[in-house]
Amino acid sequence: MPSALVWFRRDLRNFDHAALHHALRFADRVHCAFVFDTAILDALPTRHDRRVEFIHASVTELDAALDAMVRAAGGAGGGLMVRHGRADAEIPRLARELGVDKVFANRDYEPDAIVRDSRVAQALAEAGIGYEDFKDQVVFERDEVMTQAGKPYSVFTPYKNAWLKAVDDFQLKSYPVKKYTAHLAAKPVGETVPSLADIGFEPTNLAELQIPLGMSGGRKLFADFAARIDRYKRARDFPAVKGVSYLSTHLRFGTVSIRQLAAHARAHGGEGAETWLSELIWRDFYHQILWHHPRVVERAFRPEYDAVMWDDAPELFAAWCEARTGYPIVDAGMRQLNQTGWMHNRLRMIVASFLTKDLGVDWRLGERYFAAQLNDYDLAANNGGWQWAASTGCDAQPWFRIFNPITQSEKFDPEGRFIRRYLPALARVPDTFIHAPWTMGAIDQTACRTKIGIDYPGPIVDHAAARERTLSRFGVVKNDAQGA
């Protein structure tokens, strides 16, 4: 009787799960495991990490859900075997202890994860245990959507068109899991999910933020979004409006299924669903960019832009991180990030453009700050978004197009509702001045009880002057490239 071990990672659900499905079909006894990987956790700068708390809650819910599946099928109970240690040591050890024939997992495309999985596969092979992984976190991966010349796409729109041409019902079909439930093995007596404290972490403000967690949270958010998906295209750019899906963290940790989301959008149709599906395709696009061009983790996708001379300006970078640039839409966005671990997508573009094009700071510093703060941090998407904003990436914003933070604010937060929510110092500033409060005279500042330079900082750079510096910065590189 063959037995197997399913290694859960960024796929914390018990439905439409590729690895779990294949393991249940392969083996008569299927064990399930998750590892709180110290190779990742020990590198975190704080023991108060919202992502770790999100993962812990999701693992706890998954454990209960697997247990309920086993009991419903007449078993004595099942669930996850949870370990705390290095995954490349814990998974081979657990596989040997259980005497399984094969370990099943869903594929990860990040360079460090590829190295980790290679080590696990090698250790398993030395023990005579098989290892097999599957596509699960994207609809199309690696070489599945290529140009007619057989090369990876570097521009989104042609990739999207090819993606839409290639997709069909089979690609979006869910993997059946429930009908094979009887093959789930009972969990060993005494196996429990360690507490957050057991793995060395403390609660954050997730409960206060009322962020829905786990599979149940993903279902709740998707049901809410599905009822307003038709308004998505019109509402998605306004941070004060409930326009986006808020599913990014659930996509990151796999508490929802990308296939089910894409299938719903494709079947629903209309401009809202089509626009949202396009955003899901962006996700696939950035994953194939990372797969084919792992150099983008540290270098520009367009090699000529490795020559861009960014400013060494730690004081400006600190002001950006700490939401004291003097530009309200930028500071409000950074406050949202720092307080909640999430930032509206339009604001991500605005603050990234401001850091690179107004402050002249290297995009890699901003990318790393987002990596430390974002609940939904995903290397492929984060890197792709930052390189787009900095004009160094694939499908980049042209270097001579520079977001004006004032006009962006006026367009996407016209009444200053979002700004006032996160910058209470500007609560009484009239709409006339909310996007550029430093333009208020002394009388107006006194009237609204907001002294610029005291209650709220003045702008740390002049946008017009910064724009000229950016044009010059990129122009030098462009001219040198053409001259070569």
Side-chain angles (χ1 to χ4, degrees):
M1 292 175 58
S3 62
L5 174 65
V6 177
W7 177 17
F8 286 80
R9 293 104 71 87
R10 48 184 294 173
D11 46 13
L12 302 178
R13 64 186 186 278
N14 67 338
F15 61 92
D16 190 17
H17 192 287
L20 181 58
H21 164 80
H22 287 289
L24 290 170
R25 293 194 63 190
F26 165 81
D28 295 299
R29 290 182 297 111
V30 176
H31 305 274
C32 299
F34 178 84
V35 180
F36 284 103
D37 194 342
T38 52
I40 298 171
L41 300 184
D42 289 352
L44 296 175
T46 174
R47 301 298 91 183
H48 296 81
D49 192 291
R50 297 183 190 92
R51 292 164 297 191
V52 176
E53 188 174 1
F54 184 99
I55 293 169
H56 183 268
S58 301
V59 165
T60 301
E61 183 181 34
L62 176 59
D63 174 62
L66 290 168
D67 179 73
M69 288 176 70
V70 173
R71 294 182 187 279
L80 285 170
M81 286 176 277
V82 180
R83 297 292 182 265
H84 180 219
R86 288 189 62 97
D88 54 11
E90 294 295 333
I91 290 299
R93 181 183 298 120
L94 185 57
R96 291 193 300 269
E97 291 173 356
L98 295 169
V100 301
D101 299 283
K102 187 181 290 189
V103 171
F104 291 76
N106 287 323
R107 210 163 284 141
D108 200 323
Y109 308 96
E110 296 184 4
D112 288 348
I114 292 170
V115 172
R116 175 201 63 200
D117 293 353
S118 177
R119 288 174 179 163
V120 170
Q122 181 177 348
L124 291 170
E126 291 170 357
I129 301 170
Y131 177 82
E132 193 168 358
D133 61 7
F134 303 88
K135 177 182 68 172
D136 187 79
Q137 63 172 285
V138 293
V139 175
F140 290 113
E141 65 170 6
R142 303 194 294 199
D143 300 331
E144 290 187 325
V145 177
M146 305 285 279
T147 68
Q148 291 184 346
K151 296 183 179 180
Y153 284 93
S154 60
V155 178
F156 175 69
T157 300
Y159 175 85
K160 172 186 170 181
N161 293 336
W163 191 103
L164 289 170
K165 185 177 180 180
V167 77
D168 56 26
D169 292 342
F170 176 78
Q171 294 288 346
L172 301 181
K173 183 180 179 181
S174 292
Y175 285 97
V177 170
K178 191 174 182 180
K179 70 180 188 177
Y180 302 108
T181 297
H183 292 179
L184 284 170
K187 187 165 67 171
V189 176
E191 282 280 350
T192 60
V193 177
S195 68
L196 200 59
D198 289 338
I199 61 172
F201 284 80
E202 299 177 18
T204 66
N205 63 341
L206 278 186
E208 177 187 336
L209 294 169
Q210 298 183 331
I211 295 175
L213 309 176
M215 294 180 289
S216 59
R219 285 193 297 270
K220 178 181 178 180
L221 286 171
F222 180 64
D224 177 78
F225 177 62
R228 51 187 173 81
I229 193 171
D230 292 332
R231 303 192 298 273
Y232 177 74
K233 182 177 182 179
R234 300 187 300 274
R236 65 177 179 145
D237 280 319
F238 299 89
V241 174
K242 189 178 182 181
V244 298
S245 72
Y246 304 102
L247 283 166
S248 56
T249 307
H250 289 272
L251 274 165
R252 170 63 179 87
F253 296 113
T255 51
V256 294
S257 159
I258 182 61
R259 286 175 294 277
Q260 291 183 355
L261 300 186
H264 177 87
R266 182 167 172 259
H268 187 86
E271 66 173 16
E274 289 172 3
T275 303
W276 189 55
L277 180 59
S278 182
E279 293 301 310
L280 297 180
I281 299 172
W282 268 106
R283 187 171 171 274
D284 274 15
F285 176 65
Y286 280 143
H287 272 89
Q288 67 95 25
I289 289 292
L290 179 62
W291 169 260
H292 287 285
H293 308 284
R295 73 175 190 278
V296 299
V297 174
E298 289 294 340
R299 302 177 63 186
F301 176 81
R302 299 184 178 190
E304 65 269 26
Y305 289 127
D306 279 327
V308 171
M309 298 298 293
W310 302 103
D311 291 344
D312 181 16
E315 69 289 347
L316 295 181
F317 178 61
W320 179 84
C321 294
E322 296 164 10
R324 46 183 181 83
T325 69
Y327 286 86
I329 196 66
V330 174
D331 293 339
M334 295 305 293
R335 286 272 183 92
Q336 183 181 44
L337 174 64
N338 294 335
Q339 292 175 16
T340 72
W342 185 80
M343 188 190 292
H344 188 279
N345 190 59
R346 169 57 58 174
L347 298 179
R348 297 188 197 202
M349 291 188 283
I350 293 172
V351 303
S353 176
F354 187 84
L355 182 69
T356 56
K357 302 291 181 67
D358 282 75
L359 302 186
V361 172
D362 193 329
W363 63 268
R364 281 162 280 235
L365 292 177
E367 196 273 345
R368 289 167 194 157
Y369 188 78
F370 269 31
Q373 299 295 326
L374 282 171
N375 301 334
D376 61 12
Y377 171 67
D378 178 281
L379 174 58
N382 196 50
N383 181 278
W386 270 95
Q387 293 224 40
W388 180 91
S391 299
T392 62
C394 57
D395 214 67
Q397 173 182 241
W399 57 271
F400 50 83
R401 291 184 184 170
I402 301 169
F403 279 9
N404 182 318
I406 301 172
T407 56
Q408 288 284 309
S409 183
E410 293 170 341
K411 184 175 181 179
F412 297 113
D413 191 27
E415 299 172 351
R417 289 166 53 200
F418 180 82
I419 290 170
R420 291 185 178 91
R421 182 186 308 167
Y422 284 96
L423 300 177
L426 302 180
R428 299 182 184 86
V429 173
D431 290 357
T432 308
F433 300 109
I434 192 65
H435 307 289
W438 64 90
T439 60
M440 286 191 296
I443 295 175
D444 289 312
Q445 291 184 37
T446 299
C448 68
R449 286 177 279 176
T450 301
K451 295 287 187 180
I452 301 303
I454 299 175
D455 301 305
Y456 181 72
I460 56 174
V461 292
D462 175 75
H463 172 69
R467 182 178 184 278
E468 293 304 315
R469 290 194 65 220
T470 292
L471 292 174
S472 175
R473 186 192 316 276
F474 278 83
V476 168
V477 173
K478 198 70 175 176
N479 291 335
D480 287 348
Q482 291 173 344

